Amino acid sequence: MRSAAIFSLFTFAFMLNSFAQEIDTKKLDSFFYALKDQNKSMGSFAIAKNGKIVYETSIGYSALSPDSILASSATQYRIGSISKMFTAVMIFQLIDEGKLSLDTKLSKYFPQMPRAEEISIRNLLSHTSGLMDYVNDVVDKDWITNPHPAAELLDTIAKRKLHFSPGEKQQYSNSGYLLMGYILEKITGKKYSKLLETRIVKKINLKNTFSSIANSLGKEEAKPYRMIKNWSDIKDIYFPNVIGVGDILSTPADLLVFINALSTGKLISKASYAQMSTFNGRNSFGMGLISVPFYSQVGVGHNGGTYGSYSAVYHFKESGISIASCINGLNYPLNDINIAVLQISNGMSFKTPNFKAMQLTAEELKAYLGVYVNKMLPFKMMIAENSGTLTAQATGQSAFPIEAVSKGVFKFDGAGIVLEFNLEKKEMTLKQGGQKFIFNRQDN
């Protein structure tokens, strides 16, 4: 989906003391209470050890209006790109049944796609097709929030040239999984939602996992929110646009059942699972799975992000620990939540962060206000004041609150953004995802 990059975890060496120790549920409770108390997250979380769920909790609300409904273990969340794991599993089921192969060409099903005779199922699964990304490679980011027929979605992909030759490199593409969702339907003659039900949901007895449900129709579905001073509504992706790509509703408990069933051979053959979980060189993507390094361990799974929901499910064979997160309100990096949960679950030293922001006077806030520009970037950043809080807003995007963490340093945890100001130089440095950009404040 929109946010498809892996939430990279720490990779330096660490030898766990013991995989057999009990998980410190009190420390987990303390961490999640702090997230809830400081409005850092709303959602549901679960942990399994050796395939058995040993911890579940929910914080915040599944809906704030018209009635406030507390989130619970029964709350269903949009899991975004974790849906791709389900699509990949069903593709491999067809391969196991001899109805498809990794070398089957896209031209057999969609000859109108660019260089379709060169693109294989293997390429679609591993993000090596070169196809444009119909969700992200568009100027109008709100396009995907409105209904579009399948023919229009396919035409959008077909009209664009490849980013690179098939197999030349690896670049995340939602388009490949949309096409595989349609290929599943073409081969079986059944809708994706029915295939999900019969091939996975009923097979491993999932309780709260569904596909092809339009936005906010399920009574248990969590509504998405973003933090702007308070939790506010956000318009999410129109999910029938992303069937097989990022539309599935599920819960952390169901996700844990799913990933443990996958890793123990209950859904596909051992050979197919080996294909799914093979990573070439430094590539993070296998064939429907993502590699997740955590100290000396390497797990597999996937994460997901729509415009208003965030999720992750990871399984670590070495420790037998699996974690799942489903979130409908995020004001703190999901990566940091996952790291905290894994550290606590593995018996590592962990201290709950102090989430409270510094309090600044109106005069102190005033010093940061203005419009900041970077000549190399196609947008400006406006820093404004709203009810005693600074907000940042990029051209054409919504404003978001930034919290003071030290003198001249502000952050927006929801997107992992840090803004550092040098008032004397009239500069602002934007840091995000390991990159940094220097902006200069425009004089009035």
Side-chain angles (χ1 to χ4, degrees):
M1 298 305 303
R2 182 182 65 140
S3 177
I6 182 174
F7 295 102
S8 299
L9 303 179
F10 296 150
T11 58
F12 54 87
F14 177 84
M15 296 304 295
L16 298 173
N17 292 327
S18 172
F19 291 149
Q21 61 192 355
E22 291 186 4
I23 290 174
D24 190 338
T25 57
K26 290 184 178 180
K27 189 171 286 188
L28 287 165
D29 286 341
S30 177
F31 173 65
F32 285 115
Y33 177 82
L35 289 176
K36 173 182 176 293
D37 186 55
Q38 296 299 318
N39 281 328
K40 290 299 180 182
S41 182
M42 296 197 297
S44 297
F45 309 85
I47 301 167
K49 184 73 176 284
N50 298 324
K52 180 181 179 181
I53 294 177
V54 295
Y55 181 84
E56 286 186 89
T57 192
S58 297
I59 57 177
Y61 296 86
S62 63
L64 290 167
S65 63
D67 300 311
S68 293
I69 303 173
L70 288 170
S72 72
S73 59
T75 301
Q76 298 159 4
Y77 299 83
R78 298 289 178 171
I79 60 171
S81 288
I82 294 178
S83 303
K84 293 179 175 67
M85 286 178 63
F86 290 83
T87 299
V89 165
M90 290 190 285
I91 287 289
F92 274 106
Q93 286 176 341
L94 293 186
I95 291 173
D96 287 341
E97 294 164 13
K99 298 174 182 177
L100 193 64
S101 81
L102 289 174
D103 296 320
T104 302
K105 301 302 182 184
L106 180 58
S107 55
K108 182 174 182 179
Y109 303 101
F110 294 101
Q112 73 271 35
M113 294 297 153
R115 298 173 67 174
E117 69 284 352
E118 301 174 45
I119 297 172
S120 66
I121 295 296
R122 184 191 308 274
N123 296 137
L124 298 178
L125 283 165
S126 60
H127 299 287
T128 57
S129 69
L131 289 167
M132 68 85 69
D133 186 328
Y134 81 107
V135 176
N136 295 314
D137 293 346
V138 292
V139 175
D140 180 10
K141 298 302 182 184
D142 288 334
W143 177 78
I144 204 69
T145 67
N146 300 311
H148 299 283
E152 183 181 355
L153 299 177
L154 290 170
D155 194 49
T156 300
I157 303 168
K159 284 183 175 179
R160 292 279 292 272
K161 293 182 179 179
L162 298 186
H163 288 307
F164 50 85
S165 296
E168 181 181 358
K169 61 177 72 172
Q170 192 172 54
Q171 181 175 311
Y172 196 90
S173 175
N174 288 292
S175 298
Y177 278 79
L178 180 74
L179 292 168
M180 285 191 291
Y182 292 154
I183 288 171
L184 284 167
E185 294 182 335
K186 281 176 176 284
I187 291 174
T188 64
K190 298 178 181 178
K191 289 293 186 182
Y192 184 94
S193 57
K194 188 65 176 179
L195 292 171
L196 180 72
E197 179 186 350
T198 57
R199 287 182 168 269
I200 297 178
V201 170
K202 288 186 176 179
K203 195 168 186 177
I204 57 175
N205 197 28
L206 301 183
K207 305 294 186 183
N208 293 287
T209 300
F210 313 93
S211 172
S212 308
I213 296 174
N215 301 46
S216 300
L217 293 184
K219 64 179 181 178
E220 297 289 351
E221 180 178 349
K223 295 182 179 179
Y225 297 94
R226 63 181 173 184
M227 176 56 69
I228 304 178
K229 197 68 176 178
N230 296 297
W231 293 115
S232 304
D233 292 338
I234 185 171
K235 186 179 181 182
D236 213 332
I237 290 168
Y238 182 68
F239 291 103
N241 292 337
V242 291
I243 291 173
V245 178
D247 76 298
I248 292 177
L249 277 164
S250 193
T251 64
D254 269 14
L255 291 178
L256 291 180
V257 172
F258 170 65
I259 198 167
N260 281 287
L262 175 60
S263 65
T264 54
K266 295 177 182 177
L267 290 170
I268 57 176
S269 68
K270 184 177 180 180
S272 287
Y273 181 68
Q275 292 278 5
M276 282 189 72
S277 54
T278 295
F279 305 93
N280 295 318
R282 300 181 65 181
N283 291 337
S284 299
F285 300 109
M287 295 189 192
L289 288 173
I290 291 175
S291 169
V292 187
F294 178 72
Y295 294 86
S296 65
Q297 300 184 70
V298 178
V300 295
H302 217 292
N303 54 270
T306 68
Y307 284 9
S309 63
Y310 306 87
S311 56
V313 59
Y314 304 136
H315 170 68
F316 294 85
K317 182 179 179 180
E318 296 95 328
S319 62
I321 289 174
S322 304
I323 67 169
S325 308
C326 292
I327 293 170
N328 65 317
L330 190 63
N331 188 28
Y332 187 68
L334 178 57
N335 187 46
D336 290 358
I337 293 175
N338 290 331
I339 290 173
V341 171
L342 285 168
Q343 287 176 327
I344 296 170
S345 299
N346 282 287
M348 298 166 60
S349 176
F350 175 81
K351 183 178 180 180
T352 298
N354 180 5
F355 295 116
K356 294 183 179 180
M358 289 179 59
Q359 298 300 313
L360 301 180
T361 66
E363 192 64 27
E364 288 173 322
L365 292 176
K366 186 177 179 181
Y368 301 101
L369 306 184
V371 177
Y372 293 78
V373 296
N374 178 313
K375 293 182 180 180
M376 302 299 293
L377 298 176
F379 61 88
K380 299 179 180 180
M381 289 286 289
M382 177 181 289
I383 305 300
E385 186 270 338
N386 182 0
S387 303
T389 301
L390 286 187
T391 63
Q393 183 174 15
T395 305
Q397 298 187 26
S398 301
F400 54 88
I402 53 175
E403 297 179 338
V405 293
S406 61
K407 185 177 180 180
V409 181
F410 296 77
K411 66 177 181 177
F412 174 52
D413 280 333
I417 292 173
V418 175
L419 298 177
E420 296 181 357
F421 293 85
N422 186 321
L423 296 179
E424 291 184 1
K425 293 184 177 181
K426 297 182 180 180
E427 288 182 352
M428 177 190 75
T429 301
L430 166 65
K431 296 181 178 181
Q432 186 182 29
Q435 296 182 301
K436 65 179 182 179
F437 305 93
I438 296 176
F439 289 72
N440 297 295
R441 188 170 67 191
Q442 288 183 326
D443 293 325
N444 295 330

